[in-house]
Amino acid sequence: MDTRQLETLLAIERYGGFAAAAQAVHLTASAVSQQIAALEAELGVELFDRSRRPPALTAKGYEVVRSARAILQIYTETKSSAPGGPVRGTLALGTLRTGGDSIVPRTLARMREIFPDLAFRLRIGMAEELLSEVASGQLDAALVADHVAVPPSLRWTEVLREPLVVLTPPGTSGLLLEDLVRNLPYIRYRTQVPLARQIDTEIARLGIEPRQFVSVNTMTSIIGCVQAGLGWAVIPYLTLHARISSSLTWFPFGTPPIHRRLGVVQRPGNSRAEVISVLIEAIAELGRPPDDND
């Protein structure tokens, strides 16, 4: 049994088909089909029901997927634990979209300097999805906020206390939140993610009734709307990091300032624990907010 066959099987299960898996593992569709056929012949079972389009995993196929995931995890951990050599292999990291737009790419650049032989696979997703994939071994670790219930099988380590900030459009420096609410439209972050609900909850708790202009479902677009002078917004600090233009200003949201906690979740006993510890330190250092917006 070849580990590449198992990796291909997991790619088909994850991406929902042979063609999508072929792109993910950088093989031709025929090569993927040949690998699966060889695996089925070796195991003596049909892994896919080919009468369906696209082919669907059989009951036995799902069993083999679970076994393959466990085998590859053991294989990876065994390779990475070999003493005396450089850290190799791939670190599979998940992150919320706000982290993927900001702190995580810079953290991976720092990690590359420390572990030049280590490759990275970055997965952007919803917190619940990321937790599930860490628990199942598909991800080594994930950066998530503290608004989700972390299962007891995982360990969550706080990395940052990230302030929420009020982002103001050009020409509004010095205005207070009350002035913004009274004179300018509000650019609302509207998605199903916990951050959006946290912002809505805090605005309601403060008794603010902003005049809403537009609802946007990405932080990048929110910043663009504010830069265009359409209104003000409440966003997490990390989305500003190394991106905000000199024409925009911001100040802490709430008195005292309101924060969200970000942390890294991993499986206890993960063989990548040493690498993840360095990752945590890098995120904490690179994402530390300043005392002010100078």
Side-chain angles (χ1 to χ4, degrees):
M1 184 183 300
D2 191 328
T3 56
R4 289 174 296 181
Q5 296 171 343
L6 301 182
E7 291 170 348
T8 299
L9 175 63
L10 294 187
I12 296 171
E13 188 269 339
R14 178 177 181 183
Y15 294 103
F18 282 49
Q23 292 184 345
V25 299
H26 307 293
L27 292 174
T28 64
S30 62
V32 167
S33 296
Q34 291 170 9
Q35 284 192 3
I36 298 303
L39 183 59
E40 288 178 320
E42 183 175 352
L43 297 176
V45 297
E46 287 191 353
L47 301 177
F48 289 90
D49 178 0
R50 290 173 173 79
S51 67
R52 301 173 61 179
R53 290 291 181 268
L57 280 166
T58 62
K60 190 64 178 179
Y62 279 109
E63 292 181 14
V64 176
V65 164
R66 289 192 291 270
S67 298
R69 189 168 290 131
I71 290 169
L72 289 174
Q73 181 177 336
I74 293 171
Y75 175 72
T76 300
E77 292 177 353
T78 301
K79 284 202 312 178
S80 65
S81 63
V87 176
R88 300 182 184 276
T90 300
L91 180 72
L93 177 65
T95 179
L96 302 170
R97 184 161 53 184
T98 50
D101 288 342
S102 55
I103 184 63
V104 172
R106 290 183 293 112
T107 299
L108 294 186
R110 172 71 61 83
M111 295 287 288
R112 185 179 61 181
E113 297 174 357
I114 302 172
F115 302 109
D117 295 301
L118 185 64
F120 301 94
R121 176 167 63 85
L122 183 60
R123 159 92 161 93
I124 311 297
M126 303 282 284
E128 293 80 2
E129 298 171 342
L130 300 177
L131 291 176
S132 175
E133 293 178 19
V134 172
S136 67
Q138 297 177 69
L139 294 175
D140 294 304
L143 179 68
V144 298
D146 61 347
H147 297 290
V148 293
V150 177
S153 60
L154 301 179
R155 183 173 75 246
W156 186 83
T157 304
E158 181 175 332
V159 179
L160 292 171
R161 285 179 56 82
E162 179 189 24
L164 299 182
V165 300
V166 177
L167 184 64
T168 66
T172 60
S173 178
L175 291 182
L176 301 177
L177 181 57
E178 294 80 2
D179 300 323
L180 295 173
V181 172
R182 185 168 55 251
N183 297 305
L184 294 173
Y186 169 56
I187 311 300
R188 183 188 179 197
Y189 183 42
R190 188 171 185 177
T191 72
Q192 297 302 313
V193 302
L195 173 61
R197 295 194 292 271
Q198 181 187 14
I199 292 173
D200 286 347
T201 298
E202 294 297 343
I203 284 180
R205 187 181 63 84
L206 293 174
I208 299 173
E209 296 184 4
R211 173 167 54 96
Q212 185 175 315
F213 174 74
V214 65
S215 296
V216 184
N217 68 346
T218 71
M219 282 293 168
T220 301
S221 294
I222 284 181
I223 293 176
C225 287
V226 176
Q227 285 178 317
L230 297 179
W232 60 279
V234 176
I235 62 175
Y237 167 74
L238 286 181
T239 59
L240 301 181
H241 219 14
R243 177 182 295 186
I244 189 169
S245 75
S246 58
S247 63
L248 299 181
T249 57
W250 59 268
F251 56 84
F253 176 57
T255 307
I258 296 166
H259 294 75
R260 69 167 178 169
R261 297 191 304 159
L262 296 176
V264 170
V265 64
Q266 61 180 302
R267 297 182 306 280
N270 186 354
S271 67
R272 294 290 194 188
E274 182 178 349
V275 175
I276 295 172
S277 177
V278 176
L279 175 84
I280 289 172
E281 292 176 1
I283 294 175
E285 177 184 349
L286 295 172
R288 185 178 300 114
D291 295 330
D292 52 40
N293 62 335
D294 291 339

